[in-house]
Amino acid sequence: KVTASSENFHVGENDENQDRGNWSKKSDYLLSMVGYAVGLGNVWRFPYLTYNNGGGAFLIPYAIMLALAGLPLFFLECSLGQFASLGPVSVWRILPLFQGVGITMVLISIFVTIYYNVIIGYSLYYMFASFQSELPWKNCSSWSDSNCSRTPIVTHCNVSIHGTEMQVNMSWVHANNFTCINGSEVYQPGQLPSEQYWNKVALQRSNGMDETGEIVWYLALCLLLAWIIVGAALFKGIKSSGKVVYFTALFPYVVLLILLIRGATLEGASKGISYYIGAQSNFTKLSEAEVWKDAATQIFYSLSVAWGGLVALSSYNKFNNNCFSDAIVVCLTNCLTSVFAGFAIFSILGHMAHISGQEVSQVVKSGFDLAFIAYPEALAQLPG
């Protein structure tokens, strides 16, 4: 029997605290924990870090950091919340010196929530934009420029002028009605329609930080909707959120499975998978401290350790719940989801590299752009 007591803090094996056991089923709790830990970080941040840190080689420091840092801290927070049956601020009555830790957890959650909802707003925009007979980013359109192409663009070629072979640009060839000599074409990779749609239509990206641009009204409305959805999901605390997670935690796996099956059947998919976990993995990256730092950061990020949510969710458990096995199940589910999402996105990147004439490592240049270019590209390849 373990008992700790003070004027405002009392827990014990036989504690009759009314807040305990508020989860109607164990599955509600586990799915809520999976839904909290598994999220955008698994879908776009992990594949991007893998893409940026040598492909499959990144899985080695990732697994080590999970064992040494992620799982122990995840278990610690779950234990703390379950033992005290208090949230991330109040729980530190157990050691008042650390009460600032709980306050900082809440502040971190506020900051993360603000920008996560922006990304969810982008996702909602794409959902609404996809209600068309043909996806708007499937082909180049009026919003695209001359670099938009699903195939490499011919920039120069050789022509025969009075018996002399010369290399000229394609605009000159077209203007003077000449014909390129076969095999002399010089190509440059084009920008896929999905990439230009993201920059020019969805974001209306400005030229730099010094140009804020105008408020994009449809993104503002999507952001408002994202906040309304969050509010509705949390309206009655765990009684409502515990039911919402049956959809929010499970449906992404259905979508990822569909995208993986479709991605694996596309031409060039093997090239992407090989980069992700195969011959093209760059194991020399393991000697760089930055790679290990990224692996540790991603473990903290994807497990949502030290944000306060794990303490809050665990505080509704029964005192005798086996939170150790829960921690193992949720951590493994979370990390395997990251790896699973990686297969889906890299099969698509392999196809994008194949049709654009680039290497996999050159297809996409930055963070969550990878998700908002690669996933829409996969959707464009789906029949129906």
Side-chain angles (χ1 to χ4, degrees):
K1 182 174 180 178
V2 181
T3 303
S5 62
S6 70
E7 183 180 351
N8 298 313
F9 186 90
H10 173 79
V11 290
E13 190 178 69
N14 298 314
D15 184 26
E16 296 298 325
N17 191 326
Q18 293 301 307
D19 287 337
R20 290 192 185 280
N22 273 8
W23 298 108
S24 56
K25 298 178 187 174
K26 179 68 175 282
S27 59
D28 290 2
Y29 167 68
L30 282 176
L31 275 176
S32 291
M33 293 291 271
V34 169
Y36 178 69
V38 175
L40 298 169
N42 305 75
V43 173
W44 66 260
R45 199 171 189 275
F46 175 80
Y48 167 65
L49 288 175
T50 307
Y51 177 84
N52 220 30
N53 289 303
F58 184 71
L59 297 177
I60 295 173
Y62 184 72
I64 291 172
M65 290 301 173
L66 169 65
L68 296 182
L71 184 55
L73 284 169
F74 194 96
F75 175 48
L76 172 67
E77 286 200 44
C78 292
S79 302
L80 197 59
Q82 183 173 309
F83 175 80
S85 198
L86 294 168
V89 176
S90 302
V91 75
W92 290 105
R93 292 176 191 167
I94 196 170
L95 190 59
L97 181 66
F98 288 162
Q99 207 144 19
V101 173
I103 295 169
T104 307
M105 283 178 166
V106 175
L107 290 175
I108 290 171
S109 289
I110 291 170
F111 295 144
V112 171
T113 302
I114 289 170
Y115 80 76
Y116 251 46
N117 262 8
V118 172
I119 300 170
I120 292 171
Y122 295 152
S123 304
L124 289 171
Y125 167 74
Y126 268 87
M127 184 184 75
F128 293 129
S130 66
F131 282 100
Q132 299 182 39
S133 57
E134 184 177 272
L135 293 175
W137 57 84
K138 187 171 185 178
N139 298 302
C140 299
S141 189
S142 56
W143 40 261
S144 58
D145 58 31
S146 58
N147 290 325
C148 181
S149 176
R150 285 197 161 276
T151 57
I153 300 169
V154 180
T155 57
H156 295 77
C157 72
N158 293 349
V159 296
S160 180
I161 304 174
H162 305 304
T164 304
E165 191 172 310
M166 298 178 61
Q167 188 179 77
V168 294
N169 62 47
M170 287 306 295
S171 58
W172 189 91
V173 172
H174 294 313
N176 293 278
N177 292 323
F178 274 80
T179 304
C180 292
I181 298 172
N182 285 338
S184 67
E185 294 88 352
V186 177
Y187 294 93
Q188 75 171 23
Q191 276 191 315
L192 289 170
S194 55
E195 182 174 356
Q196 291 213 349
Y197 184 87
W198 166 241
N199 288 317
K200 294 176 180 294
V201 181
L203 289 186
Q204 296 190 23
R205 195 190 294 270
S206 65
N207 294 322
M209 289 289 286
D210 55 324
E211 291 183 36
T212 56
E214 298 177 357
I215 293 176
V216 184
W217 66 268
Y218 45 81
L219 288 183
L221 289 177
C222 288
L223 179 59
L224 174 62
L225 179 59
W227 278 105
I228 291 171
I229 291 171
V230 170
L234 299 176
F235 183 64
K236 292 186 177 179
I238 62 167
K239 290 180 181 177
S240 57
S241 66
K243 305 305 177 191
V244 170
V245 291
Y246 278 92
F247 175 79
T248 60
L250 296 176
F251 185 67
Y253 290 98
V254 176
V255 177
L256 282 175
L257 181 62
I258 293 169
L259 293 179
L260 175 60
I261 293 171
R262 181 53 183 153
T265 60
L266 293 172
E267 197 173 2
S270 58
K271 192 176 179 181
I273 298 298
S274 178
Y275 184 87
Y276 179 48
I277 187 166
Q280 292 187 45
S281 299
N282 185 4
F283 286 93
T284 60
K285 284 273 192 180
L286 295 179
S287 62
E288 299 177 14
E290 185 76 12
V291 174
W292 292 84
K293 186 212 76 172
D294 282 347
T297 304
Q298 176 59 16
I299 284 294
F300 275 81
Y301 193 91
S302 64
L303 290 178
S304 304
V305 172
W307 290 4
L310 299 177
V311 176
L313 289 170
S314 299
S315 69
Y316 294 101
N317 273 337
K318 293 179 180 177
F319 188 82
N320 294 322
N321 176 61
N322 187 351
C323 58
F324 180 62
S325 63
D326 293 345
I328 293 174
V329 168
V330 175
C331 286
L332 288 179
T333 301
N334 175 75
C335 294
L336 290 174
T337 301
S338 295
V339 176
F340 180 61
F343 278 104
I345 207 164
F346 274 92
S347 62
I348 300 158
L349 288 176
H351 174 67
M352 291 167 68
H354 175 77
I355 63 177
S356 64
Q358 295 174 285
E359 292 300 316
V360 176
S361 59
Q362 300 171 327
V363 177
V364 184
K365 303 295 188 294
S366 60
F368 65 89
D369 283 16
L370 183 117
F372 283 102
I373 293 171
Y375 285 121
E377 182 63 28
L379 290 175
Q381 306 300 324
L382 286 172

